[in-house]
Each structure stands twice: as structure tokens, then as C-alpha cells.
Amino acid sequence: MSVKRTRLIALCSGLLAVAGAVAVMPSASAGTTLRAAAAEKGRYFGTAVATSRLSDSAYASIINREFSSLVAENDMKWDATEPQQGRFSFTNGDRLVSHAQANGMTVRGHALLWHAQQPSWAQGLSGSALRSAAINHVTQVAAHFRGKIHSWDVVNEAFADGGGGGRRDSNLQRTGNDWIEAAFRAARAADPGAKLCYNDYNTDGVNAKSTGIYTMVRDFKSRGVPIDCVGFQSHLGTGIASDYQRNLQRFADLGVDVQITELDVAQGSNQANIYATVTRACIAVSRCNGITVWGVRDSDSWRRDENPLLFDSNGNKKQAYTAVLNELNAGGPSSPPPSPSPSTSTSSNPQPGGGCTATVSLNSWTGGFVATVKVTAGSAPVNGWTVTVSLPSGSAVTSAWSATNTGTTGSVAFRNVSYNGGIAAAGSTEFGFQGTGNGPAATPVCQAG
Ligand code: XIL
């Protein structure tokens, strides 16, 4: 081979290397934190928090930098919120909500009813005494946090492991098979603005347990039992089901949102890949609202021996962190269209370029409604927005969250609050309101600035 030819090949491969580097470089608008990157995809990225640890400044600074949603790891469970029957304790839960609000984060509520972490007084009850105590618990806790919770895990882990696809035996289950729907109805009445989720584990693919849940959700949707979302805990080992995404999608196709709610993955050669796979699946399913990891640093984890989180015990970003961030940034900013569902109607005012657009999704029942409005920036960032909604006559707004309204009837203007006025180009944010009468039928108008 001549010297000239060798040089040419060397030059060409050099160019290829440069081209390759350019192709994988993040675009100018790529998010540099999990919360920013997820927001560009219209998703939240959350973490479970031990409220008592918020005074650890290393812990708090990672949370405030990286996450846009918080869930209490333990502080909103039954034993924490109602330690004695009828005596409620919301100090830690309230602190978590304040921390979230002060930092522009939404809150997942976890969990209203569960067979585990029940106060001892509830463990000792059965039959109708337990049923009414449970429904009272749902009502009181959901009412206390009314308007502050993005999504509630109304019922946690009610299905059995193993091949049957049936319910888990528990004191709650023994009060009657309808305990789950009774809980959802009570939660809707107490906080009509929160999305109501069923949450479980070992549901990370199409299997007997996830199919049992799927069948329940389909039944709830067909009978009008108020359910809005399904949480997939995703406490994963060293592998992941090949149909993880397909499973999320089949639930979404029932007309519910899906959320990854307690993600952690055993450390191993595959950890970063598994995190990437879960992230990719959520981005690919338009009704996947967001991902929550179950803790911040490995040392904070309930599975700490398995080092399953995105930050090491010193708070350094792990490979898994980079894998998640890259997946969130892949393909540039986008905002998935909300998928229509049988009980949800949507309308929008598409407006390419600058400005903003708003999409309303309605959950209605006789005499009332809850509207969730997604505000999406055009190709330029938005700094402040107002969405104007026309209500039919006889309808009125009774409360709003993540926006303040001017007027309650007719043409009602919703202005951003302090933490959600800025939206990245093509990014989005959500607010909501509830009202009496019928929800808006006409197209909302979004005005930037
Ligand atoms: C775990 C917490 O992380 C621990 O601190 C606590 O001791 C037990 O509960 N599924 C759930 C979570 O829904 O509430 C559990 O959290 C983990 C499994």
C-alpha cells in the first residue's frame, strides 16, 4: 500500500470519528438534569423522599436539582398518617408537599390503602368495621391533601404473585372484593383533581399478575369506576421483560395513564441498560406521564445492598444516571399528544412556531368535571402564559391547581403560578381545575407572555 493511500484512509477514518462524535453530541436544547430533560418530553422525573432526610444538604441539593416530582417513601402511608384511629398526623406529609411546591415540583401520593404498613389498630379490625375505617382513611387523607396531589396511589399491591392473576389475601380483601372500587370512589369524592392510580410490582411485562390488573382496570373503565392511572413499581433485578413497553401500552390503550412509580434496578453489568430501557419505554408510550426512582443515593435505598439507584453513596452520578439522561434527551424535545380515551374528550389549538398551545382533557360525571390542561410551548421558550377557557352557561370553576383563575363562569382566564410560567421550547406543563356543570367544550386559547 502506498504512503499516500494510507494517509487517505487515516484522514477518512478521522473524519468518520468526527462525524460520529457530532451525531451523538446532545443538541443545544438537551436537558442537563433529569427534570429538565424529562420536561422537554412532557414528563416528570421524580424520586421517593424520606422527609426526615431533607435536612441533609447533600441529599436536598440533588433532589432540588434533578427532580420535578416527589413521593413520600413512608410518610403518607396509613401507619404514618393515622397512627391512632381517627387521629391524623400530617406533619411530615405536609413538609414534603411544601418542599415540592417551593421547588416547582408535583407530588405523588403514596399510598391510601395497602395490606402492609397498616397501623396496629387497623390490623386488628375486620369486616365492616375495617371497611368503614379504611374508607374514612381514604376520605380524610385525600381531603387533607386535596388540590396538592398530582396522582394518588389509591390502592397498592392488591394482586397476588404466582400464576393465578387473582387478588392477594389480606384483611382488606376479606372485607369484600369491591373494596378497591369503594376506595377509588371515596378518593374521587375527596379530591376530584388528583389522578387516581392502582399501583403494583411484578407487573413489568405481560404476565398473569399484570393481566389480572388489566382485567380489573378494563372492568372499572367499563363501569365508570373512577380510575385514571396505573403505577408500575418496577423494582427490577438484573433483567427486564422484553415486552415491558408493550405492557405499558396495553394499559394505556384502556384509556388510563401509566407511570413508573418506584424504579430501582439491582447493580450489575446491565444496570444502566435496564434503566435506559425503562426510560425509552416511558417516552415511547404517550400516556406515560413520568418516572419516579425509589430513592436518591444508593445509601438511601431500601435495597441498599444492591446499589440500585442513580447516584452513588457519595452523591455522584452513576452510569445509570447518564443512561437515563441520554434516553430522555434522545430525539430532541417533543411533547406527546394525549391519547383519547372513552371517558376523556380533548380539544386543542395547534399553533406551530412561537407562542403556546393548550390541550384540555376532561373527566366528567353528572353535575361536575375535572379538567387537566396541558400547556405546550411552540418552537421558542415561553416566559409566562395565560390560557382562556370558555365554559358553557350554568357551569362554574370551583378550584384550580398550578394556575390562578380570573372569573369562574363564562370565559375564564388561567394564569401560570410562580414555578410553571417558564416552559422550554416544545416543552410543556400541566394545570387543572374542577367545576360544577359541564366542562369546556370549545377550544382553549393559549397566550404566551
Ligand atoms: C418501602 C420503603 O422504601 C421502606 O423504607 C419501608 O421500610 C418499606 O416500604 N412497595 C411500595 C413501597 O409500594 O411503599 C415500599 O417502600 C417498597 C415496595
PDB file of all heavy atoms in Angstrom, residues 73-74 77 110 114 117 156-157 199 201 233 235 262 294 302, ligand 1:
ATOM      1  N   GLU A  73     -41.544   8.322  50.757  1.00  0.00           N
ATOM      2  CA  GLU A  73     -41.191   6.897  50.796  1.00  0.00           C
ATOM      3  C   GLU A  73     -42.030   6.182  51.858  1.00  0.00           C
ATOM      4  O   GLU A  73     -42.424   5.033  51.657  1.00  0.00           O
ATOM      5  CB  GLU A  73     -39.695   6.730  51.082  1.00  0.00           C
ATOM      6  CG  GLU A  73     -39.252   5.275  51.034  1.00  0.00           C
ATOM      7  CD  GLU A  73     -37.746   5.102  51.108  1.00  0.00           C
ATOM      8  OE1 GLU A  73     -37.010   6.112  51.176  1.00  0.00           O
ATOM      9  OE2 GLU A  73     -37.296   3.937  51.096  1.00  0.00           O
ATOM     10  N   ASN A  74     -42.310   6.830  52.957  1.00  0.00           N
ATOM     11  CA  ASN A  74     -43.114   6.228  54.035  1.00  0.00           C
ATOM     12  C   ASN A  74     -44.120   7.191  54.671  1.00  0.00           C
ATOM     13  O   ASN A  74     -45.060   6.741  55.307  1.00  0.00           O
ATOM     14  CB  ASN A  74     -42.191   5.691  55.146  1.00  0.00           C
ATOM     15  CG  ASN A  74     -41.402   4.472  54.682  1.00  0.00           C
ATOM     16  OD1 ASN A  74     -41.978   3.434  54.347  1.00  0.00           O
ATOM     17  ND2 ASN A  74     -40.079   4.608  54.622  1.00  0.00           N
ATOM     18  N   LYS A  77     -48.092   6.916  54.338  1.00  0.00           N
ATOM     19  CA  LYS A  77     -48.737   5.602  54.474  1.00  0.00           C
ATOM     20  C   LYS A  77     -49.694   5.614  55.676  1.00  0.00           C
ATOM     21  O   LYS A  77     -49.655   6.514  56.516  1.00  0.00           O
ATOM     22  CB  LYS A  77     -47.656   4.525  54.611  1.00  0.00           C
ATOM     23  CG  LYS A  77     -46.865   4.333  53.309  1.00  0.00           C
ATOM     24  CD  LYS A  77     -45.674   3.397  53.458  1.00  0.00           C
ATOM     25  CE  LYS A  77     -44.941   3.251  52.120  1.00  0.00           C
ATOM     26  NZ  LYS A  77     -43.692   2.463  52.245  1.00  0.00           N
ATOM     27  N   HIS A 110     -48.702   8.486  48.148  1.00  0.00           N
ATOM     28  CA  HIS A 110     -48.454   7.032  48.280  1.00  0.00           C
ATOM     29  C   HIS A 110     -48.584   6.668  49.744  1.00  0.00           C
ATOM     30  O   HIS A 110     -47.823   7.208  50.543  1.00  0.00           O
ATOM     31  CB  HIS A 110     -47.052   6.723  47.766  1.00  0.00           C
ATOM     32  CG  HIS A 110     -46.646   5.299  47.955  1.00  0.00           C
ATOM     33  ND1 HIS A 110     -47.037   4.305  47.089  1.00  0.00           N
ATOM     34  CD2 HIS A 110     -45.881   4.685  48.897  1.00  0.00           C
ATOM     35  CE1 HIS A 110     -46.510   3.153  47.482  1.00  0.00           C
ATOM     36  NE2 HIS A 110     -45.809   3.362  48.577  1.00  0.00           N
ATOM     37  N   TRP A 114     -53.261  -0.234  51.640  1.00  0.00           N
ATOM     38  CA  TRP A 114     -52.239  -1.248  51.357  1.00  0.00           C
ATOM     39  C   TRP A 114     -52.321  -2.274  52.470  1.00  0.00           C
ATOM     40  O   TRP A 114     -52.655  -1.921  53.611  1.00  0.00           O
ATOM     41  CB  TRP A 114     -50.869  -0.536  51.359  1.00  0.00           C
ATOM     42  CG  TRP A 114     -49.681  -1.323  50.933  1.00  0.00           C
ATOM     43  CD1 TRP A 114     -49.655  -2.438  50.140  1.00  0.00           C
ATOM     44  CD2 TRP A 114     -48.301  -1.037  51.272  1.00  0.00           C
ATOM     45  NE1 TRP A 114     -48.360  -2.846  49.953  1.00  0.00           N
ATOM     46  CE2 TRP A 114     -47.509  -2.014  50.630  1.00  0.00           C
ATOM     47  CE3 TRP A 114     -47.668  -0.056  52.046  1.00  0.00           C
ATOM     48  CZ2 TRP A 114     -46.113  -2.039  50.746  1.00  0.00           C
ATOM     49  CZ3 TRP A 114     -46.290  -0.079  52.150  1.00  0.00           C
ATOM     50  CH2 TRP A 114     -45.518  -1.054  51.503  1.00  0.00           C
ATOM     51  N   GLN A 117     -47.750  -1.955  56.242  1.00  0.00           N
ATOM     52  CA  GLN A 117     -47.605  -0.676  56.947  1.00  0.00           C
ATOM     53  C   GLN A 117     -48.954  -0.085  57.358  1.00  0.00           C
ATOM     54  O   GLN A 117     -49.178   1.123  57.249  1.00  0.00           O
ATOM     55  CB  GLN A 117     -46.730   0.297  56.144  1.00  0.00           C
ATOM     56  CG  GLN A 117     -45.267  -0.188  56.131  1.00  0.00           C
ATOM     57  CD  GLN A 117     -44.320   0.718  55.368  1.00  0.00           C
ATOM     58  OE1 GLN A 117     -44.161   0.581  54.158  1.00  0.00           O
ATOM     59  NE2 GLN A 117     -43.679   1.641  56.063  1.00  0.00           N
ATOM     60  N   ASN A 156     -52.575  -0.068  46.750  1.00  0.00           N
ATOM     61  CA  ASN A 156     -51.232  -0.556  46.461  1.00  0.00           C
ATOM     62  C   ASN A 156     -51.188  -2.071  46.638  1.00  0.00           C
ATOM     63  O   ASN A 156     -51.688  -2.590  47.651  1.00  0.00           O
ATOM     64  CB  ASN A 156     -50.275   0.123  47.476  1.00  0.00           C
ATOM     65  CG  ASN A 156     -48.811   0.021  47.102  1.00  0.00           C
ATOM     66  OD1 ASN A 156     -48.460   0.008  45.923  1.00  0.00           O
ATOM     67  ND2 ASN A 156     -47.949  -0.044  48.100  1.00  0.00           N
ATOM     68  N   GLU A 157     -50.663  -2.755  45.661  1.00  0.00           N
ATOM     69  CA  GLU A 157     -50.292  -4.184  45.795  1.00  0.00           C
ATOM     70  C   GLU A 157     -51.433  -5.092  46.218  1.00  0.00           C
ATOM     71  O   GLU A 157     -51.270  -5.922  47.108  1.00  0.00           O
ATOM     72  CB  GLU A 157     -49.133  -4.320  46.793  1.00  0.00           C
ATOM     73  CG  GLU A 157     -47.907  -3.531  46.378  1.00  0.00           C
ATOM     74  CD  GLU A 157     -46.709  -3.762  47.307  1.00  0.00           C
ATOM     75  OE1 GLU A 157     -46.856  -4.417  48.359  1.00  0.00           O
ATOM     76  OE2 GLU A 157     -45.619  -3.274  46.976  1.00  0.00           O
ATOM     77  N   ASN A 199     -51.501   0.744  41.924  1.00  0.00           N
ATOM     78  CA  ASN A 199     -50.039   0.607  41.874  1.00  0.00           C
ATOM     79  C   ASN A 199     -49.617  -0.798  42.306  1.00  0.00           C
ATOM     80  O   ASN A 199     -50.137  -1.324  43.295  1.00  0.00           O
ATOM     81  CB  ASN A 199     -49.455   1.649  42.861  1.00  0.00           C
ATOM     82  CG  ASN A 199     -47.958   1.814  42.764  1.00  0.00           C
ATOM     83  OD1 ASN A 199     -47.426   2.020  41.666  1.00  0.00           O
ATOM     84  ND2 ASN A 199     -47.257   1.736  43.884  1.00  0.00           N
ATOM     85  N   TYR A 201     -46.309  -4.232  41.866  1.00  0.00           N
ATOM     86  CA  TYR A 201     -44.976  -4.680  41.430  1.00  0.00           C
ATOM     87  C   TYR A 201     -45.091  -6.038  40.735  1.00  0.00           C
ATOM     88  O   TYR A 201     -46.162  -6.656  40.754  1.00  0.00           O
ATOM     89  CB  TYR A 201     -44.023  -4.780  42.635  1.00  0.00           C
ATOM     90  CG  TYR A 201     -44.397  -5.879  43.597  1.00  0.00           C
ATOM     91  CD1 TYR A 201     -43.794  -7.138  43.522  1.00  0.00           C
ATOM     92  CD2 TYR A 201     -45.383  -5.682  44.560  1.00  0.00           C
ATOM     93  CE1 TYR A 201     -44.155  -8.156  44.390  1.00  0.00           C
ATOM     94  CE2 TYR A 201     -45.749  -6.687  45.434  1.00  0.00           C
ATOM     95  CZ  TYR A 201     -45.130  -7.935  45.336  1.00  0.00           C
ATOM     96  OH  TYR A 201     -45.501  -8.945  46.185  1.00  0.00           O
ATOM     97  N   GLN A 233     -44.423  -0.344  39.687  1.00  0.00           N
ATOM     98  CA  GLN A 233     -43.345  -0.050  40.638  1.00  0.00           C
ATOM     99  C   GLN A 233     -41.977  -0.259  39.990  1.00  0.00           C
ATOM    100  O   GLN A 233     -41.071   0.531  40.171  1.00  0.00           O
ATOM    101  CB  GLN A 233     -43.482  -0.937  41.881  1.00  0.00           C
ATOM    102  CG  GLN A 233     -44.705  -0.592  42.720  1.00  0.00           C
ATOM    103  CD  GLN A 233     -44.766  -1.409  44.012  1.00  0.00           C
ATOM    104  OE1 GLN A 233     -43.816  -2.103  44.380  1.00  0.00           O
ATOM    105  NE2 GLN A 233     -45.890  -1.330  44.698  1.00  0.00           N
ATOM    106  N   HIS A 235     -39.475  -2.512  40.602  1.00  0.00           N
ATOM    107  CA  HIS A 235     -38.305  -2.880  41.409  1.00  0.00           C
ATOM    108  C   HIS A 235     -37.644  -4.040  40.655  1.00  0.00           C
ATOM    109  O   HIS A 235     -38.145  -5.160  40.676  1.00  0.00           O
ATOM    110  CB  HIS A 235     -38.742  -3.324  42.808  1.00  0.00           C
ATOM    111  CG  HIS A 235     -39.346  -2.212  43.609  1.00  0.00           C
ATOM    112  ND1 HIS A 235     -38.600  -1.119  44.015  1.00  0.00           N
ATOM    113  CD2 HIS A 235     -40.602  -2.007  44.072  1.00  0.00           C
ATOM    114  CE1 HIS A 235     -39.384  -0.296  44.700  1.00  0.00           C
ATOM    115  NE2 HIS A 235     -40.605  -0.806  44.734  1.00  0.00           N
ATOM    116  N   GLU A 262     -41.719   3.333  41.179  1.00  0.00           N
ATOM    117  CA  GLU A 262     -40.760   3.039  42.261  1.00  0.00           C
ATOM    118  C   GLU A 262     -39.484   2.426  41.692  1.00  0.00           C
ATOM    119  O   GLU A 262     -38.910   1.493  42.272  1.00  0.00           O
ATOM    120  CB  GLU A 262     -41.391   2.092  43.296  1.00  0.00           C
ATOM    121  CG  GLU A 262     -42.679   2.621  43.885  1.00  0.00           C
ATOM    122  CD  GLU A 262     -43.285   1.727  44.968  1.00  0.00           C
ATOM    123  OE1 GLU A 262     -42.586   0.818  45.471  1.00  0.00           O
ATOM    124  OE2 GLU A 262     -44.458   1.942  45.301  1.00  0.00           O
ATOM    125  N   TRP A 294     -36.927   5.094  43.272  1.00  0.00           N
ATOM    126  CA  TRP A 294     -37.283   4.878  44.686  1.00  0.00           C
ATOM    127  C   TRP A 294     -36.107   5.224  45.600  1.00  0.00           C
ATOM    128  O   TRP A 294     -35.563   4.379  46.309  1.00  0.00           O
ATOM    129  CB  TRP A 294     -37.776   3.439  44.887  1.00  0.00           C
ATOM    130  CG  TRP A 294     -38.647   3.318  46.116  1.00  0.00           C
ATOM    131  CD1 TRP A 294     -38.390   2.579  47.234  1.00  0.00           C
ATOM    132  CD2 TRP A 294     -39.928   3.946  46.345  1.00  0.00           C
ATOM    133  NE1 TRP A 294     -39.419   2.723  48.149  1.00  0.00           N
ATOM    134  CE2 TRP A 294     -40.382   3.559  47.631  1.00  0.00           C
ATOM    135  CE3 TRP A 294     -40.732   4.809  45.585  1.00  0.00           C
ATOM    136  CZ2 TRP A 294     -41.592   4.005  48.170  1.00  0.00           C
ATOM    137  CZ3 TRP A 294     -41.935   5.249  46.136  1.00  0.00           C
ATOM    138  CH2 TRP A 294     -42.347   4.842  47.406  1.00  0.00           C
ATOM    139  N   TRP A 302     -33.914   1.378  50.117  1.00  0.00           N
ATOM    140  CA  TRP A 302     -34.409   0.234  50.903  1.00  0.00           C
ATOM    141  C   TRP A 302     -33.711  -1.056  50.449  1.00  0.00           C
ATOM    142  O   TRP A 302     -33.768  -2.053  51.140  1.00  0.00           O
ATOM    143  CB  TRP A 302     -35.932   0.112  50.783  1.00  0.00           C
ATOM    144  CG  TRP A 302     -36.442  -0.399  49.455  1.00  0.00           C
ATOM    145  CD1 TRP A 302     -36.091   0.038  48.212  1.00  0.00           C
ATOM    146  CD2 TRP A 302     -37.375  -1.464  49.259  1.00  0.00           C
ATOM    147  NE1 TRP A 302     -36.765  -0.668  47.245  1.00  0.00           N
ATOM    148  CE2 TRP A 302     -37.569  -1.596  47.856  1.00  0.00           C
ATOM    149  CE3 TRP A 302     -38.093  -2.313  50.106  1.00  0.00           C
ATOM    150  CZ2 TRP A 302     -38.428  -2.541  47.306  1.00  0.00           C
ATOM    151  CZ3 TRP A 302     -38.959  -3.253  49.549  1.00  0.00           C
ATOM    152  CH2 TRP A 302     -39.112  -3.361  48.164  1.00  0.00           C
TER     153      TRP A 302
HETATM  154  C1  XIL B   1     -40.652   0.582  51.333  1.00  0.00           C
HETATM  155  C2  XIL B   1     -39.758   1.688  51.876  1.00  0.00           C
HETATM  156  O1  XIL B   1     -38.827   2.009  50.899  1.00  0.00           O
HETATM  157  C3  XIL B   1     -39.074   1.241  53.146  1.00  0.00           C
HETATM  158  O2  XIL B   1     -38.400   2.329  53.747  1.00  0.00           O
HETATM  159  C4  XIL B   1     -40.098   0.675  54.129  1.00  0.00           C
HETATM  160  O3  XIL B   1     -39.421   0.151  55.242  1.00  0.00           O
HETATM  161  C5  XIL B   1     -40.931  -0.398  53.466  1.00  0.00           C
HETATM  162  O4  XIL B   1     -41.548   0.108  52.325  1.00  0.00           O
HETATM  163  N1  XIL B   1     -43.521  -1.181  47.501  1.00  0.00           N
HETATM  164  C6  XIL B   1     -44.052   0.003  47.924  1.00  0.00           C
HETATM  165  C7  XIL B   1     -43.260   0.899  48.801  1.00  0.00           C
HETATM  166  O5  XIL B   1     -45.156   0.357  47.476  1.00  0.00           O
HETATM  167  O6  XIL B   1     -44.072   1.621  49.685  1.00  0.00           O
HETATM  168  C8  XIL B   1     -42.210   0.148  49.567  1.00  0.00           C
HETATM  169  O7  XIL B   1     -41.401   1.094  50.275  1.00  0.00           O
HETATM  170  C9  XIL B   1     -41.392  -0.693  48.624  1.00  0.00           C
HETATM  171  C10 XIL B   1     -42.246  -1.705  47.926  1.00  0.00           C
END
